[in-house]
Amino acid sequence: MAFALKRTPSTPSAPGVHPQALWSYRPQSDREAGDAIVSNLLLHWFPAKVYKPSLDWTYSFWLGTASAALFFLLILSGLPLLFLYVPSVERAYASVKDIEYVVTFGWWIRAVHRISAHLMVVAVALHLVRVFLTAAYRNGIGRSQRREWNWVLGVVMLLLTLFLSFTGYLLPWDQLAYWAVTVGTNIASSIPYVGPQMRELMIGGREIEQATLIRFYVLHCIMLPGALGVLFAYHMWRVRKDGGLAKADREALLPLPRVEPATPTKTYTLLGVARGTAPAITSSSLEVPGASVNAVPDLTRRAIIVTLGTFALVSILASLIASPLEEPANPLVTPNPAKAPWYFLWLQEIVTDTTIKLRSFTINGAFIGGVILPGLLVGVLTAWPWLDRTSADVVGVWFARERRRQTLVFLAVLLAILALTIVGTYLRGPYWNFYWPWEAWPEIPARI
Amino acid sequence: MSDTDPNSPSPTAPETDSRDARPDRRDFLLRLGIGAGVVAVGAQGAASLRALVPNVSYDAPTTVKLGAAREFPDGLKFLPDQRLYVFREGNTYHAISAVCTHLGCTVRAEALSQPETREVGGSALRLTHRFACPCHGSTYSGDGVNSSGPAPRPLAWYRLSVAPDDGQLVVDLADEVDRDFRLTLA
Ligand code: FES
């Protein structure tokens, strides 16, 4: 067994020196459990001890971990694709077709990449919903906490995730891709004054061409994942600095159940957290024995379960769901109807409905629905921790009574987005006409 | 070397002065260093961004020959490469862009069941078609005026002319014209 260690308690020669190179998956003592964290590069993110209820499956649903696992899986499955895909207008479509039909297991790698991307949008969005509903963007104990900044970081990371998905959407250079990018970049150009220049910068010219493909390719493979990786590392570090999940804050605020007698022998080494030798200053109920558990193995075990579970789910879905590949991009013919990827369908629905006409004065729906409304939404979301004026008692509590009103508003917005997505997905036929799914697919009038 | 006494005080400045001056000089150099760094990073960033704005466009030319005028059919012809509809009625011609003014999808032409004649830009125009956009469902009447959906403006009309060398029909996609434009050939 690679993880096997001698079972006798180790005695480090000096504080901070850890005689064991490997860590035990089943530590025999608190000290060994603590040692594991310090001696392992990956585990040094984690605290030695975690507040037990914050590991509950039903508190966080481990959505952040699942998002991270998906991001990792995307990088993993993206690597072989980097070798196989050719970012050229002439060859992109054929190379994706080769990946799909010629390369051994190419279809599976592509499916894994594609499904992880979709699931990551879902997981990151749900993670944000969870954090909002538990008010985890608020500082509970306040001491050097900056949870609100981690929330802002999270919003930025959600946007990056969406852009990553969207930039990947263009790369196969099929009809779906071409028209999604046409519409997407035209939304940018609907901004007064600077819009057209912004569009030109995005697509590298006036037409969607080679320059566009290579720009989106570099964004998709280097810039956006790089930015997301850096922010992710910072996000994790902040979680650690803020004292773990918000649920732990709440516990710190609760009155002490009983006072512990002082421990006779104290140690102030880094790992003095080991029970029995810690300084007997029990400042909060968090430090009551039993309130927290060793990160190894309680936290690591769950993290591994979530990660492997995510991988398994993606692998299974990838073998069941085929990745679509439309006809090659054709700038001359727009598919009918031309639909955005599902996570942008609500926006497509909004840009359809928000063109404002006041006699001779018209504002393009692209500007209102594509720029102003989403901009406002992101703005309000970002500023929310400073707008929320409820007391610190709500931190880490699902659907806290005190926040009932904002919870309802948030859920209403969420429901609206969901409803618009459903309308866009199921109730829009040719020419974006409304129809009921049980009706026959409307006849498309003969084309010239 | 030998003619200076290392123990004698420096002749250039008294000791008290040099002690006062030192933090100033250090401070100045520090600011200079930071400033230089900011300028360097800023300039490099600006240069990198500027490099992404193309100086040369290899886009297709905006003036395109469309073929001999008399070979156009009466009624409408769709030219996919130019995303353009060319209409002919006897010996008058006009051209309407197929690019939706909402978000740039290519609109489709639908034949009207009953052709109608309407006053467009001062002269009568026989409308045989209307246009519909597959992306968000905008519709336009046969003269390109937006009639429903999110499209904010009518479809563009472009100037048609006849090439002096070989008499082909020419469109200038950079030259938008009013809806009273007609090219009449003798
Ligand atoms: S692009 Fe034509 S309706 Fe939106």
Side-chain angles (χ1 to χ4, degrees):
Chain A
M1 224 0 227
F3 293 137
L5 287 174
K6 50 183 182 216
R7 293 296 183 208
T8 49
S10 55
T11 40
S13 49
V17 176
H18 305 284
Q20 289 148 355
L22 294 171
W23 55 284
S24 167
Y25 186 66
R26 275 185 244 286
Q28 293 299 297
S29 64
D30 283 353
R31 154 138 250 149
E32 223 177 81
D35 268 356
I37 297 287
V38 180
S39 61
N40 186 296
L41 172 73
L42 285 177
L43 294 185
H44 84 283
W45 281 7
F46 297 135
K49 293 213 157 205
V50 283
Y51 172 55
K52 202 167 162 205
S54 68
L55 296 179
D56 282 354
W57 295 109
T58 50
Y59 170 66
S60 69
F61 297 99
W62 290 74
L63 288 161
T65 310
S67 311
L70 288 166
F71 183 50
F72 183 60
L73 196 54
L74 278 163
I75 293 172
L76 270 189
S77 56
L79 282 177
L81 294 178
L82 274 181
F83 287 99
L84 299 167
Y85 172 77
V86 187
S88 125
V89 169
E90 285 87 33
R91 296 173 60 193
Y93 183 80
S95 68
V96 174
K97 211 167 154 189
D98 273 0
I99 292 170
E100 190 69 28
Y101 298 109
V102 180
V103 176
T104 310
F105 291 127
W107 62 271
W108 190 73
I109 296 171
R110 178 165 173 249
V112 165
H113 197 69
R114 185 175 157 274
I115 286 172
S116 326
H118 285 302
L119 286 183
M120 187 169 161
V121 172
V122 176
V124 172
L126 285 179
H127 180 48
L128 177 131
V129 170
R130 190 285 287 177
V131 169
F132 186 93
L133 293 180
T134 55
Y137 53 80
R138 306 282 312 276
N139 296 321
I141 49 175
R143 263 180 269 124
S144 72
Q145 283 186 317
R146 291 281 177 279
R147 289 201 193 279
E148 63 275 56
W149 288 114
N150 227 9
W151 166 262
V152 173
L153 227 64
V155 173
V156 174
M157 284 162 81
L158 171 65
L159 296 181
L160 282 178
T161 306
L162 288 173
F163 281 131
L164 262 168
S165 257
F166 186 67
T167 48
Y169 205 73
L170 172 69
L171 302 183
W173 206 250
D174 61 353
Q175 278 288 67
L176 225 53
Y178 186 90
W179 291 100
V181 171
T182 302
V183 169
T185 53
N186 269 325
I187 285 181
S189 78
S190 71
I191 303 170
Y193 307 113
V194 292
Q197 278 100 310
M198 269 180 62
R199 175 166 196 261
E200 232 176 285
L201 188 66
M202 271 162 98
I203 68 177
R206 243 157 277 150
E207 315 258 300
I208 294 179
E209 257 294 335
Q210 181 61 52
T212 317
L213 178 57
I214 209 82
R215 263 164 213 225
F216 275 60
Y217 179 69
V218 173
L219 280 175
H220 183 74
C221 302
I222 296 174
M223 312 274 274
L224 296 176
L228 191 55
V230 169
L231 290 188
F232 167 60
Y234 187 69
H235 195 68
M236 293 305 292
W237 179 76
R238 270 265 46 110
V239 170
R240 177 82 199 274
K241 290 295 268 190
D242 291 338
L245 300 198
K247 195 168 186 178
D249 286 13
R250 182 174 171 67
E251 210 59 21
L253 290 172
L254 294 178
L256 281 179
R258 64 202 151 101
V259 179
E260 286 294 299
T263 331
T265 45
K266 296 175 186 173
T267 159
Y268 290 92
T269 62
L270 181 60
L271 296 176
V273 287
R275 193 166 17 187
T277 50
I281 308 156
T282 315
S283 64
S284 79
S285 49
L286 258 190
E287 286 154 46
V288 170
S292 45
V293 288
N294 288 319
V296 177
D298 287 66
L299 173 60
T300 47
R301 188 198 296 128
R302 283 173 171 83
I304 289 170
I305 291 173
V306 172
T307 305
L308 293 183
T310 309
F311 285 9
L313 178 72
V314 171
S315 312
I316 293 168
L317 287 179
S319 351
L320 297 179
I321 303 173
S323 322
L325 185 61
E326 302 275 303
E327 290 154 46
N330 183 355
L332 317 176
V333 181
T334 310
N336 190 6
K339 291 196 180 185
W342 62 266
Y343 43 84
F344 283 146
L345 269 180
W346 61 282
L347 279 178
Q348 186 172 11
E349 194 58 46
I350 293 178
V351 296
T352 304
D353 307 323
T354 49
T355 292
I356 291 180
K357 291 188 181 119
L358 287 171
R359 267 175 269 140
S360 63
F361 188 68
T362 311
I363 304 176
N364 197 338
F367 183 54
I368 299 173
V371 180
I372 302 253
L373 273 180
L376 265 178
L377 208 60
V378 170
V380 170
L381 210 58
T382 311
W384 201 258
W386 291 275
L387 300 176
D388 182 349
R389 297 240 161 266
T390 45
S391 70
D393 289 356
V394 297
V395 174
V397 183
W398 275 93
F399 305 111
R401 272 192 102 75
E402 210 186 314
R403 299 173 70 241
R404 176 140 355 104
R405 232 174 344 142
Q406 44 177 308
T407 303
L408 285 179
V409 171
F410 183 79
L411 287 178
V413 172
L414 216 61
L415 247 133
I417 290 178
L418 210 69
L420 289 177
T421 307
I422 289 171
V423 170
T425 312
Y426 297 109
L427 307 182
R428 290 298 190 175
Y431 296 118
W432 205 247
N433 282 333
F434 191 85
Y435 82 106
W436 295 108
W438 51 85
E439 286 173 2
W441 185 251
E443 273 298 312
I444 305 179
R447 269 190 56 233
I448 315 301
Chain B
M1 265 213 177
S2 56
D3 53 357
T4 46
D5 180 2
N7 291 325
S8 72
S10 162
T12 48
E15 228 173 278
T16 48
D17 268 6
S18 75
R19 210 183 287 145
D20 286 343
R22 200 170 287 141
D24 273 353
R25 193 191 303 142
R26 215 181 252 175
D27 209 38
F28 171 72
L29 286 175
L30 180 69
R31 279 157 198 255
L32 193 68
I34 292 174
V38 168
V39 169
V41 170
Q44 285 168 20
S48 311
L49 280 182
R50 179 59 187 83
L52 289 176
V53 180
N55 288 338
V56 181
S57 159
Y58 297 103
D59 294 342
T62 58
T63 314
V64 195
K65 283 187 178 176
L66 305 175
R70 80 196 107 70
E71 272 164 29
F72 276 80
D74 223 39
L76 146 159
K77 184 177 182 188
F78 177 52
L79 304 173
D81 290 329
Q82 285 75 36
R83 296 171 82 190
L84 191 72
Y85 289 104
V86 177
F87 288 83
R88 175 179 180 181
E89 200 186 335
N91 57 355
T92 67
Y93 297 80
H94 67 271
I96 300 180
S97 159
V99 180
C100 180
T101 55
H102 179 227
L103 283 171
C105 293
T106 307
V107 298
R108 294 160 190 243
E110 278 175 48
L112 293 178
S113 50
Q114 200 67 50
E116 55 173 303
T117 308
R118 212 194 276 178
E119 178 93 349
V120 174
S123 53
L125 189 70
R126 214 172 96 91
L127 304 179
T128 53
H129 294 83
R130 61 175 210 137
F131 305 101
C133 180
C135 285
H136 313 92
S138 290
T139 57
Y140 303 83
S141 57
D143 56 347
V145 173
N146 46 324
S147 48
S148 73
R153 274 174 289 117
L155 295 172
W157 283 48
Y158 289 126
R159 182 179 300 283
L160 288 177
S161 56
V162 174
D165 50 350
D166 54 4
Q168 284 195 40
L169 210 55
V170 173
V171 67
D172 186 351
L173 295 170
D175 192 0
E176 256 190 63
V177 291
D178 287 337
R179 265 173 294 132
D180 57 5
F181 174 87
R182 304 279 187 283
L183 174 71
T184 311
L185 298 184

